[in-house]
Amino acid sequence: MTDKLELFKKYKETGDVGIRNEIVLCYMDTVKYVTLSLRNVYAKYGDTDDLVNEGVIALIAATETFDLNRGVKFETYATLKIKGAIIDYVRKQDWVPRQVRKFGKELDEAYGALYNELGRHPRNQELAEYMGITKEQLAKKLADTAGANTLSFEELLYEDNFSNYDGFNGAEFADRRVYEKEQKQVIADAIAGLNPKERQVVTLYYYEKLKFAEIAKVLSVTESRICQIHSKSMLLLRRKLENYIKNL
């Protein structure tokens, strides 16, 4: 760690590109780790090598803008920059069909209205009736929106919680760590509120990093069914997290 700190000091003093490149090489594992941790976000819409390249560009930018006097670890700063770059890249691909995006918005509004009215996670039949469609139509559309919901949830976590990291000093960073701990507890509580099947899918997807197809094999159901379960789960998790952020 001391060697890395010395590299940063030399780079800030000299602006030597060779030293910067040496720093980048020291943190390449961070790029690979973040990219792999987000593979479920981009699996169907981007190549891993392309995302690693985006991560490296973000890492280089992070070395340029990192302030040694802020009292924030470079690993944390770089991780957030890399994650943000990958999310931005996927979002700019505009891979979500207009109709899917439109339905996702309508579904979120319907879910919110029913959640507030019922005080609980609405059932599929209740959602279908509220939206004026059949339960079968809802199931198909839930499967179609799975990928969009994944990105949407990742955006919520990144944009609302970490977008102002650049301005943090040491004390503010300590406060943010407390906030992150609270946020994790909010998400854990929300996951606990899911039914057993939903909890299993969310755990396998976000914590075990399995793809939808892999989860389908584990649970012996179709990939479409896993997508449906995931989309429904995301509605609750997003609602819980949004409510938490609004109350800060």
Coordinates of all heavy atoms in Angstrom, one line a residue, residues 11-99:
Y11 N 3.3 10.8 -9.1 CA 2.5 11.1 -10.3 C 1.9 12.5 -10.1 O 1.9 13.3 -11.1 CB 1.4 10.1 -10.5 CG 0.5 10.5 -11.7 CD1 1.0 10.7 -12.9 CD2 -0.9 10.7 -11.5 CE1 0.2 11.1 -14.0 CE2 -1.7 11.1 -12.6 CZ -1.1 11.3 -13.8 OH -1.9 11.7 -14.9
K12 N 1.4 12.8 -8.9 CA 0.8 14.2 -8.7 C 1.9 15.3 -8.8 O 1.6 16.4 -9.2 CB 0.1 14.2 -7.3 CG -1.1 13.3 -7.2 CD -2.2 13.6 -8.3 CE -3.4 12.7 -8.2 NZ -4.4 13.0 -9.2
E13 N 3.1 14.9 -8.4 CA 4.2 15.9 -8.5 C 4.7 16.1 -9.9 O 5.1 17.2 -10.3 CB 5.3 15.4 -7.6 CG 5.0 15.5 -6.1 CD 6.1 14.8 -5.3 OE1 7.1 14.3 -5.9 OE2 6.0 14.8 -4.0
T14 N 4.8 15.0 -10.7 CA 5.5 15.0 -12.0 C 4.5 15.0 -13.2 O 4.8 15.4 -14.3 CB 6.4 13.8 -12.1 OG1 5.7 12.6 -12.1 CG2 7.4 13.8 -10.9
G15 N 3.3 14.3 -13.0 CA 2.4 14.2 -14.2 C 3.0 13.2 -15.2 O 2.5 13.1 -16.3
D16 N 3.9 12.4 -14.7 CA 4.6 11.4 -15.6 C 3.6 10.3 -16.0 O 3.0 9.6 -15.2 CB 5.8 10.8 -14.9 CG 6.6 9.9 -15.8 OD1 6.0 9.0 -16.5 OD2 7.8 10.1 -15.8
V17 N 3.3 10.2 -17.4 CA 2.4 9.2 -17.9 C 2.8 7.8 -17.6 O 2.0 6.9 -17.3 CB 2.2 9.4 -19.4 CG1 1.3 8.3 -19.9 CG2 1.6 10.7 -19.7
G18 N 4.1 7.5 -17.5 CA 4.6 6.2 -17.2 C 4.2 5.8 -15.8 O 3.9 4.6 -15.6
I19 N 4.3 6.7 -14.9 CA 3.9 6.4 -13.5 C 2.4 6.2 -13.4 O 2.0 5.3 -12.7 CB 4.3 7.6 -12.5 CG1 5.9 7.8 -12.5 CG2 3.8 7.3 -11.1 CD1 6.4 8.9 -11.7
R20 N 1.7 7.0 -14.1 CA 0.2 6.8 -14.2 C -0.1 5.4 -14.7 O -1.0 4.7 -14.1 CB -0.5 7.8 -15.1 CG -2.0 7.8 -15.0 CD -2.6 8.4 -16.3 NE -2.3 7.6 -17.5 CZ -2.5 8.0 -18.7 NH1 -3.0 9.2 -18.9 NH2 -2.2 7.3 -19.7
N21 N 0.5 5.0 -15.7 CA 0.3 3.7 -16.3 C 0.6 2.6 -15.3 O 0.0 1.5 -15.3 CB 1.0 3.5 -17.6 CG 0.5 4.4 -18.7 OD1 -0.6 4.9 -18.6 ND2 1.3 4.6 -19.8
E22 N 1.7 2.8 -14.5 CA 2.1 1.8 -13.5 C 1.0 1.7 -12.4 O 0.7 0.6 -12.0 CB 3.4 2.3 -12.9 CG 4.0 1.2 -12.0 CD 5.4 1.6 -11.5 OE1 6.0 2.6 -12.0 OE2 5.9 0.9 -10.6
I23 N 0.4 2.8 -12.1 CA -0.7 2.8 -11.1 C -1.9 2.1 -11.7 O -2.5 1.2 -11.0 CB -1.2 4.3 -10.8 CG1 -0.1 5.0 -10.0 CG2 -2.5 4.3 -9.9 CD1 -0.3 6.5 -9.8
V24 N -2.2 2.3 -12.9 CA -3.3 1.6 -13.6 C -3.1 0.1 -13.6 O -4.1 -0.6 -13.3 CB -3.5 2.1 -15.0 CG1 -4.5 1.3 -15.8 CG2 -4.0 3.6 -15.0
L25 N -1.9 -0.3 -13.9 CA -1.7 -1.8 -13.8 C -1.9 -2.3 -12.4 O -2.3 -3.5 -12.3 CB -0.2 -2.0 -14.3 CG 0.0 -1.8 -15.8 CD1 1.5 -2.0 -16.1 CD2 -0.7 -2.9 -16.6
C26 N -1.5 -1.6 -11.4 CA -1.7 -2.0 -10.0 C -3.2 -2.3 -9.7 O -3.5 -3.1 -8.8 CB -1.1 -1.0 -9.1 SG 0.7 -0.9 -9.0
Y27 N -4.1 -1.6 -10.4 CA -5.5 -1.7 -10.1 C -6.3 -2.4 -11.2 O -7.6 -2.3 -11.1 CB -6.1 -0.3 -9.7 CG -5.5 0.2 -8.4 CD1 -4.4 1.1 -8.4 CD2 -6.1 -0.1 -7.2 CE1 -3.9 1.6 -7.3 CE2 -5.6 0.4 -6.0 CZ -4.5 1.3 -6.1 OH -4.0 1.8 -4.9
M28 N -5.7 -3.1 -12.0 CA -6.4 -3.8 -13.1 C -7.4 -4.9 -12.5 O -8.4 -5.1 -13.1 CB -5.5 -4.4 -14.1 CG -4.9 -3.5 -15.1 SD -6.2 -2.7 -16.1 CE -7.0 -4.1 -16.9
D29 N -7.0 -5.5 -11.4 CA -7.9 -6.5 -10.8 C -9.2 -5.8 -10.3 O -10.2 -6.5 -10.3 CB -7.2 -7.1 -9.6 CG -6.1 -8.1 -10.0 OD1 -6.1 -8.5 -11.2 OD2 -5.3 -8.5 -9.2
T30 N -9.1 -4.6 -10.0 CA -10.3 -3.8 -9.6 C -11.3 -3.7 -10.8 O -12.5 -3.9 -10.6 CB -10.0 -2.4 -9.0 OG1 -9.1 -2.6 -7.9 CG2 -11.2 -1.7 -8.6
V31 N -10.7 -3.4 -11.9 CA -11.5 -3.3 -13.1 C -12.2 -4.6 -13.4 O -13.4 -4.7 -13.7 CB -10.7 -2.9 -14.3 CG1 -11.5 -2.9 -15.6 CG2 -10.1 -1.5 -14.1
K32 N -11.4 -5.7 -13.4 CA -12.0 -7.0 -13.7 C -13.0 -7.4 -12.7 O -14.1 -8.0 -13.0 CB -10.8 -8.1 -13.7 CG -9.9 -7.8 -14.8 CD -8.7 -8.8 -14.8 CE -7.7 -8.5 -15.9 NZ -6.5 -9.3 -15.7
Y33 N -12.8 -7.1 -11.4 CA -13.8 -7.5 -10.3 C -15.1 -6.8 -10.5 O -16.2 -7.4 -10.5 CB -13.2 -7.1 -9.0 CG -14.2 -7.3 -7.9 CD1 -14.5 -8.5 -7.4 CD2 -14.8 -6.2 -7.3 CE1 -15.5 -8.7 -6.4 CE2 -15.8 -6.3 -6.3 CZ -16.1 -7.5 -5.9 OH -17.1 -7.7 -4.9
V34 N -15.0 -5.5 -10.8 CA -16.3 -4.7 -10.9 C -17.0 -5.1 -12.2 O -18.2 -5.3 -12.2 CB -15.9 -3.2 -11.0 CG1 -17.2 -2.4 -11.3 CG2 -15.3 -2.7 -9.7
T35 N -16.3 -5.4 -13.3 CA -16.9 -5.8 -14.5 C -17.6 -7.1 -14.3 O -18.8 -7.3 -14.7 CB -15.8 -5.9 -15.6 OG1 -15.2 -4.7 -15.8 CG2 -16.5 -6.3 -17.0
L36 N -17.0 -8.1 -13.7 CA -17.6 -9.4 -13.4 C -18.8 -9.3 -12.5 O -19.8 -10.0 -12.6 CB -16.6 -10.4 -12.9 CG -15.5 -10.8 -13.9 CD1 -14.5 -11.7 -13.2 CD2 -16.2 -11.6 -15.0
S37 N -18.7 -8.4 -11.5 CA -19.8 -8.2 -10.6 C -21.0 -7.6 -11.2 O -22.1 -7.8 -10.7 CB -19.4 -7.3 -9.4 OG -19.3 -5.9 -9.8
L38 N -20.9 -7.0 -12.4 CA -22.0 -6.4 -13.1 C -22.4 -7.2 -14.3 O -23.2 -6.7 -15.1 CB -21.7 -4.9 -13.5 CG -21.6 -3.9 -12.4 CD1 -21.0 -2.6 -12.9 CD2 -22.9 -3.7 -11.7
R39 N -21.9 -8.4 -14.5 CA -22.1 -9.1 -15.7 C -23.6 -9.4 -15.9 O -24.0 -9.5 -17.1 CB -21.3 -10.4 -15.7 CG -21.8 -11.5 -14.8 CD -21.1 -12.8 -15.0 NE -21.7 -13.9 -14.1 CZ -21.7 -15.1 -14.4 NH1 -21.1 -15.5 -15.6 NH2 -22.2 -16.0 -13.6
N40 N -24.4 -9.5 -14.9 CA -25.8 -9.8 -15.1 C -26.5 -8.5 -15.6 O -27.6 -8.6 -16.2 CB -26.4 -10.2 -13.8 CG -26.1 -11.6 -13.4 OD1 -25.8 -12.4 -14.3 ND2 -26.3 -12.0 -12.1
V41 N -25.9 -7.4 -15.5 CA -26.5 -6.1 -16.0 C -26.3 -6.1 -17.5 O -27.2 -5.7 -18.3 CB -25.8 -4.9 -15.3 CG1 -26.3 -3.6 -16.0 CG2 -26.1 -4.9 -13.9
Y42 N -25.1 -6.5 -18.0 CA -24.8 -6.3 -19.4 C -24.7 -7.6 -20.2 O -24.5 -7.6 -21.4 CB -23.5 -5.5 -19.6 CG -22.3 -6.3 -19.1 CD1 -21.7 -7.3 -19.8 CD2 -21.7 -6.0 -17.8 CE1 -20.6 -8.0 -19.3 CE2 -20.6 -6.7 -17.4 CZ -20.0 -7.7 -18.1 OH -18.9 -8.4 -17.7
A43 N -25.0 -8.7 -19.6 CA -24.7 -10.0 -20.2 C -25.3 -10.1 -21.6 O -24.7 -10.7 -22.5 CB -25.3 -11.1 -19.3
K44 N -26.6 -9.7 -21.8 CA -27.2 -9.8 -23.1 C -27.0 -8.6 -24.0 O -27.4 -8.7 -25.2 CB -28.7 -10.0 -22.9 CG -29.1 -11.3 -22.2 CD -30.6 -11.4 -22.1 CE -31.1 -12.6 -21.4 NZ -32.6 -12.8 -21.3
Y45 N -26.3 -7.6 -23.5 CA -26.2 -6.4 -24.3 C -24.8 -5.8 -24.5 O -24.7 -4.8 -25.1 CB -27.1 -5.3 -23.6 CG -28.4 -5.9 -23.2 CD1 -28.7 -6.2 -21.8 CD2 -29.4 -6.1 -24.1 CE1 -29.9 -6.7 -21.4 CE2 -30.7 -6.6 -23.7 CZ -30.9 -6.9 -22.4 OH -32.1 -7.5 -22.0
G46 N -23.8 -6.5 -24.0 CA -22.5 -6.0 -24.2 C -21.5 -7.1 -24.0 O -21.7 -8.1 -23.3
D47 N -20.3 -6.9 -24.7 CA -19.2 -7.9 -24.6 C -18.3 -7.5 -23.4 O -18.0 -6.4 -23.1 CB -18.4 -7.8 -25.9 CG -17.3 -8.8 -25.9 OD1 -17.6 -10.0 -26.2 OD2 -16.1 -8.4 -25.5
T48 N -17.9 -8.6 -22.7 CA -17.1 -8.3 -21.5 C -15.8 -7.5 -21.8 O -15.5 -6.6 -21.0 CB -16.7 -9.7 -20.8 OG1 -17.9 -10.4 -20.4 CG2 -15.8 -9.5 -19.6
D49 N -15.2 -7.8 -22.9 CA -14.0 -7.1 -23.2 C -14.2 -5.6 -23.4 O -13.4 -4.8 -23.0 CB -13.4 -7.7 -24.5 CG -12.7 -9.1 -24.3 OD1 -12.5 -9.4 -23.1 OD2 -12.6 -9.8 -25.3
D50 N -15.4 -5.3 -24.1 CA -15.8 -3.9 -24.3 C -16.0 -3.2 -22.9 O -15.5 -2.1 -22.7 CB -17.0 -3.8 -25.1 CG -16.8 -4.2 -26.5 OD1 -15.7 -4.2 -27.0 OD2 -17.8 -4.6 -27.2
L51 N -16.6 -3.9 -22.0 CA -16.9 -3.3 -20.7 C -15.6 -3.2 -19.9 O -15.4 -2.2 -19.1 CB -17.9 -4.2 -19.9 CG -19.4 -3.9 -20.2 CD1 -19.7 -2.5 -19.8 CD2 -19.8 -4.1 -21.6
V52 N -14.7 -4.1 -20.0 CA -13.4 -4.0 -19.4 C -12.6 -2.8 -19.9 O -12.0 -2.0 -19.1 CB -12.5 -5.3 -19.6 CG1 -11.1 -5.0 -19.1 CG2 -13.1 -6.4 -18.8
N53 N -12.7 -2.5 -21.2 CA -12.1 -1.3 -21.8 C -12.7 -0.1 -21.2 O -11.9 0.9 -20.9 CB -12.3 -1.4 -23.3 CG -11.4 -2.4 -24.0 OD1 -10.4 -2.9 -23.4 ND2 -11.8 -2.8 -25.2
E54 N -14.0 0.0 -21.1 CA -14.7 1.1 -20.5 C -14.2 1.3 -19.0 O -13.9 2.4 -18.6 CB -16.2 0.9 -20.5 CG -16.8 1.0 -21.8 CD -16.7 2.3 -22.5 OE1 -16.8 3.4 -21.8 OE2 -16.4 2.3 -23.7
G55 N -14.0 0.2 -18.3 CA -13.5 0.2 -17.0 C -12.1 0.8 -16.9 O -11.8 1.6 -16.0
V56 N -11.2 0.4 -17.8 CA -9.9 0.9 -17.8 C -9.8 2.4 -18.1 O -9.1 3.1 -17.4 CB -9.0 0.1 -18.9 CG1 -7.7 0.8 -19.1 CG2 -8.9 -1.4 -18.5
I57 N -10.7 2.8 -19.0 CA -10.7 4.3 -19.3 C -11.1 5.0 -18.0 O -10.6 6.1 -17.7 CB -11.7 4.5 -20.4 CG1 -11.2 4.0 -21.7 CG2 -12.0 6.0 -20.6 CD1 -12.2 4.0 -22.9
A58 N -12.1 4.5 -17.3 CA -12.6 5.1 -16.1 C -11.5 5.1 -15.0 O -11.4 6.0 -14.2 CB -13.8 4.4 -15.6
L59 N -10.7 4.0 -15.0 CA -9.6 3.9 -14.0 C -8.6 4.9 -14.3 O -8.1 5.6 -13.4 CB -9.0 2.5 -14.1 CG -7.8 2.2 -13.2 CD1 -8.2 2.4 -11.7 CD2 -7.3 0.8 -13.4
I60 N -8.2 5.1 -15.6 CA -7.3 6.1 -15.9 C -7.8 7.5 -15.5 O -7.0 8.3 -14.9 CB -7.0 6.1 -17.4 CG1 -6.3 4.8 -17.8 CG2 -6.2 7.3 -17.9 CD1 -6.1 4.6 -19.3
A61 N -9.0 7.8 -15.8 CA -9.6 9.1 -15.4 C -9.6 9.3 -13.9 O -9.3 10.4 -13.3 CB -11.1 9.2 -15.9
A62 N -9.8 8.2 -13.1 CA -9.8 8.2 -11.7 C -8.4 8.6 -11.1 O -8.3 9.3 -10.2 CB -10.3 6.9 -11.1
T63 N -7.4 8.1 -11.8 CA -6.0 8.4 -11.3 C -5.7 9.9 -11.6 O -5.0 10.5 -10.8 CB -4.9 7.6 -12.1 OG1 -5.0 7.9 -13.5 CG2 -5.2 6.1 -11.8
E64 N -6.4 10.4 -12.6 CA -6.2 11.9 -12.9 C -6.9 12.8 -11.9 O -6.4 13.8 -11.5 CB -6.7 12.2 -14.3 CG -6.1 11.4 -15.4 CD -4.8 12.0 -15.9 OE1 -4.4 13.0 -15.3 OE2 -4.2 11.4 -16.8
T65 N -8.1 12.4 -11.5 CA -8.9 13.2 -10.6 C -8.8 12.9 -9.1 O -9.3 13.7 -8.3 CB -10.4 13.1 -11.1 OG1 -10.8 11.8 -11.0 CG2 -10.5 13.6 -12.5
F66 N -8.2 11.8 -8.8 CA -8.1 11.4 -7.4 C -7.3 12.4 -6.6 O -6.2 12.9 -7.0 CB -7.5 10.0 -7.2 CG -7.4 9.5 -5.8 CD1 -8.5 9.3 -5.1 CD2 -6.1 9.3 -5.3 CE1 -8.4 8.8 -3.8 CE2 -6.0 8.8 -4.0 CZ -7.2 8.6 -3.2
D67 N -7.8 12.8 -5.4 CA -7.2 13.8 -4.5 C -6.7 13.1 -3.3 O -7.5 12.6 -2.5 CB -8.2 14.9 -4.1 CG -7.6 16.0 -3.3 OD1 -6.4 15.8 -2.9 OD2 -8.2 17.1 -3.2
L68 N -5.4 13.0 -3.1 CA -4.8 12.3 -2.0 C -5.1 12.9 -0.7 O -5.1 12.3 0.4 CB -3.2 12.4 -2.1 CG -2.6 11.4 -3.1 CD1 -1.1 11.9 -3.4 CD2 -2.6 10.0 -2.6
N69 N -5.5 14.2 -0.7 CA -5.8 14.9 0.6 C -7.3 14.7 1.1 O -7.6 15.2 2.1 CB -5.6 16.4 0.4 CG -4.1 16.7 0.1 OD1 -3.2 16.1 0.7 ND2 -3.9 17.6 -0.9
R70 N -8.1 14.0 0.3 CA -9.5 13.8 0.7 C -9.7 12.8 1.8 O -10.7 12.7 2.5 CB -10.3 13.4 -0.5 CG -10.5 14.4 -1.5 CD -11.5 15.5 -1.0 NE -11.7 16.5 -2.1 CZ -12.5 17.5 -1.9 NH1 -13.1 17.7 -0.7 NH2 -12.7 18.4 -2.9
G71 N -8.7 11.9 2.0 CA -8.8 10.9 3.1 C -9.7 9.7 2.6 O -10.2 9.0 3.5
V72 N -9.9 9.5 1.3 CA -10.7 8.5 0.8 C -9.7 7.5 0.1 O -8.8 7.9 -0.6 CB -11.7 9.0 -0.2 CG1 -12.5 7.9 -0.9 CG2 -12.6 10.0 0.4
K73 N -10.0 6.2 0.3 CA -9.2 5.2 -0.4 C -9.4 5.2 -1.9 O -10.5 5.3 -2.3 CB -9.5 3.8 0.2 CG -9.0 3.5 1.6 CD -9.3 2.1 2.0 CE -8.9 1.8 3.4 NZ -9.2 0.3 3.7
F74 N -8.3 5.1 -2.6 CA -8.4 5.1 -4.1 C -9.2 3.9 -4.6 O -9.9 4.0 -5.5 CB -7.0 5.0 -4.7 CG -7.0 5.1 -6.2 CD1 -7.4 6.2 -6.9 CD2 -6.8 3.9 -6.9 CE1 -7.5 6.2 -8.3 CE2 -6.9 3.9 -8.3 CZ -7.2 5.0 -9.0
E75 N -9.1 2.7 -3.9 CA -9.8 1.6 -4.3 C -11.3 1.9 -4.4 O -12.1 1.5 -5.3 CB -9.6 0.4 -3.4 CG -8.2 -0.2 -3.5 CD -7.2 0.4 -2.6 OE1 -7.4 1.6 -2.2 OE2 -6.2 -0.2 -2.2
T76 N -11.8 2.6 -3.3 CA -13.2 2.9 -3.2 C -13.6 3.9 -4.3 O -14.6 3.7 -5.0 CB -13.5 3.5 -1.9 OG1 -13.2 2.6 -0.8 CG2 -15.0 3.8 -1.7
Y77 N -12.8 4.9 -4.5 CA -13.0 6.0 -5.5 C -13.1 5.3 -6.9 O -14.0 5.6 -7.7 CB -11.9 7.0 -5.4 CG -12.1 8.2 -6.3 CD1 -13.0 9.2 -6.1 CD2 -11.2 8.2 -7.4 CE1 -13.1 10.2 -7.0 CE2 -11.3 9.3 -8.3 CZ -12.3 10.3 -8.1 OH -12.3 11.3 -9.0
A78 N -12.1 4.5 -7.2 CA -11.9 3.9 -8.5 C -13.1 3.0 -8.8 O -13.6 2.9 -9.9 CB -10.6 3.2 -8.6
T79 N -13.5 2.2 -7.8 CA -14.6 1.2 -7.9 C -15.9 1.9 -8.3 O -16.6 1.5 -9.3 CB -14.8 0.4 -6.6 OG1 -13.7 -0.4 -6.4 CG2 -16.0 -0.5 -6.7
L80 N -16.2 3.0 -7.7 CA -17.4 3.8 -8.0 C -17.3 4.4 -9.4 O -18.3 4.4 -10.2 CB -17.6 4.9 -7.0 CG -17.9 4.3 -5.6 CD1 -17.9 5.4 -4.6 CD2 -19.3 3.6 -5.6
K81 N -16.1 4.9 -9.8 CA -15.9 5.4 -11.1 C -16.1 4.4 -12.2 O -16.8 4.6 -13.2 CB -14.6 6.1 -11.2 CG -14.4 7.4 -10.5 CD -15.2 8.5 -11.2 CE -14.9 9.8 -10.6 NZ -15.7 10.9 -11.2
I82 N -15.5 3.2 -12.0 CA -15.6 2.1 -12.9 C -17.1 1.6 -13.1 O -17.6 1.4 -14.2 CB -14.7 1.0 -12.5 CG1 -13.2 1.4 -12.6 CG2 -14.9 -0.3 -13.4 CD1 -12.3 0.5 -11.8
K83 N -17.7 1.4 -11.9 CA -19.1 1.0 -12.0 C -20.0 2.0 -12.7 O -20.8 1.6 -13.5 CB -19.6 0.8 -10.5 CG -21.1 0.3 -10.5 CD -21.5 0.1 -9.0 CE -22.9 -0.5 -9.0 NZ -23.4 -0.8 -7.6
G84 N -19.8 3.3 -12.4 CA -20.6 4.3 -13.1 C -20.3 4.3 -14.6 O -21.3 4.5 -15.4
A85 N -19.1 4.1 -15.0 CA -18.8 4.1 -16.4 C -19.4 2.9 -17.2 O -19.9 3.0 -18.3 CB -17.2 4.0 -16.6
I86 N -19.5 1.7 -16.5 CA -20.1 0.6 -17.1 C -21.6 0.8 -17.2 O -22.2 0.5 -18.3 CB -19.8 -0.7 -16.3 CG1 -18.3 -1.0 -16.4 CG2 -20.6 -1.9 -16.7 CD1 -17.8 -2.2 -15.6
I87 N -22.2 1.3 -16.2 CA -23.7 1.6 -16.2 C -24.0 2.6 -17.3 O -24.9 2.4 -18.1 CB -24.2 2.1 -14.9 CG1 -24.1 0.9 -13.8 CG2 -25.6 2.6 -15.0 CD1 -24.4 1.3 -12.4
D88 N -23.2 3.6 -17.4 CA -23.4 4.6 -18.5 C -23.3 4.0 -19.9 O -24.0 4.3 -20.8 CB -22.4 5.8 -18.3 CG -22.7 6.7 -17.2 OD1 -23.8 6.6 -16.7 OD2 -21.8 7.4 -16.7
Y89 N -22.3 3.1 -20.0 CA -22.1 2.5 -21.3 C -23.3 1.7 -21.7 O -23.8 1.8 -22.9 CB -20.8 1.6 -21.3 CG -20.5 0.9 -22.5 CD1 -19.8 1.5 -23.6 CD2 -21.0 -0.4 -22.7 CE1 -19.6 0.8 -24.8 CE2 -20.8 -1.1 -23.9 CZ -20.0 -0.5 -24.9 OH -19.8 -1.2 -26.1
V90 N -23.8 0.9 -20.8 CA -24.9 0.0 -21.1 C -26.1 0.9 -21.4 O -26.9 0.6 -22.3 CB -25.2 -1.0 -19.9 CG1 -26.5 -1.8 -20.2 CG2 -24.0 -1.9 -19.7
R91 N -26.3 1.9 -20.6 CA -27.5 2.8 -20.8 C -27.5 3.4 -22.1 O -28.5 3.6 -22.8 CB -27.5 3.8 -19.7 CG -28.7 4.8 -19.7 CD -28.8 5.6 -18.5 NE -27.5 6.2 -18.1 CZ -27.2 6.7 -16.9 NH1 -28.1 6.7 -16.0 NH2 -26.0 7.2 -16.7
K92 N -26.3 3.8 -22.6 CA -26.2 4.5 -23.9 C -26.4 3.6 -25.1 O -26.6 4.1 -26.2 CB -24.8 5.2 -24.0 CG -24.6 6.4 -23.1 CD -23.2 6.9 -23.1 CE -23.1 8.1 -22.1 NZ -21.7 8.6 -22.0
Q93 N -26.4 2.3 -24.8 CA -26.7 1.4 -25.9 C -28.1 1.5 -26.4 O -28.5 1.1 -27.5 CB -26.3 0.0 -25.5 CG -24.9 -0.2 -25.1 CD -23.9 0.4 -26.1 OE1 -23.9 0.0 -27.2 NE2 -23.1 1.3 -25.6
D94 N -29.0 2.0 -25.5 CA -30.4 2.2 -25.7 C -31.0 0.9 -26.3 O -31.7 0.8 -27.3 CB -30.7 3.3 -26.8 CG -32.1 3.7 -26.8 OD1 -32.8 3.6 -25.8 OD2 -32.6 4.3 -27.8
W95 N -30.7 -0.2 -25.5 CA -31.1 -1.5 -26.0 C -32.6 -1.9 -25.6 O -33.1 -2.9 -26.0 CB -30.2 -2.6 -25.4 CG -29.9 -2.4 -24.0 CD1 -28.9 -1.7 -23.4 CD2 -30.7 -2.9 -22.9 NE1 -28.9 -1.8 -22.0 CE2 -30.0 -2.5 -21.7 CE3 -31.8 -3.7 -22.8 CZ2 -30.5 -2.8 -20.4 CZ3 -32.3 -4.0 -21.5 CH2 -31.7 -3.5 -20.4
V96 N -33.2 -1.1 -24.7 CA -34.6 -1.4 -24.3 C -35.6 -0.9 -25.3 O -35.7 0.3 -25.5 CB -34.8 -0.8 -22.9 CG1 -36.2 -1.2 -22.4 CG2 -33.8 -1.2 -21.9
P97 N -36.4 -1.8 -25.9 CA -37.4 -1.4 -26.9 C -38.4 -0.4 -26.2 O -38.6 -0.5 -25.0 CB -38.1 -2.7 -27.2 CG -37.1 -3.8 -27.0 CD -36.3 -3.3 -25.8
R98 N -38.9 0.5 -27.0 CA -39.8 1.6 -26.5 C -41.0 1.0 -25.8 O -41.4 1.5 -24.7 CB -40.2 2.5 -27.7 CG -41.1 3.7 -27.2 CD -41.5 4.5 -28.4 NE -40.3 5.0 -29.1 CZ -40.3 5.7 -30.2 NH1 -41.5 6.0 -30.8 NH2 -39.2 6.2 -30.8
Q99 N -41.6 -0.1 -26.3 CA -42.7 -0.6 -25.7 C -42.4 -1.3 -24.4 O -43.2 -1.2 -23.4 CB -43.4 -1.7 -26.6 CG -44.1 -1.1 -27.8 CD -45.2 -0.2 -27.4 OE1 -45.1 1.0 -27.6 NE2 -46.3 -0.8 -26.9

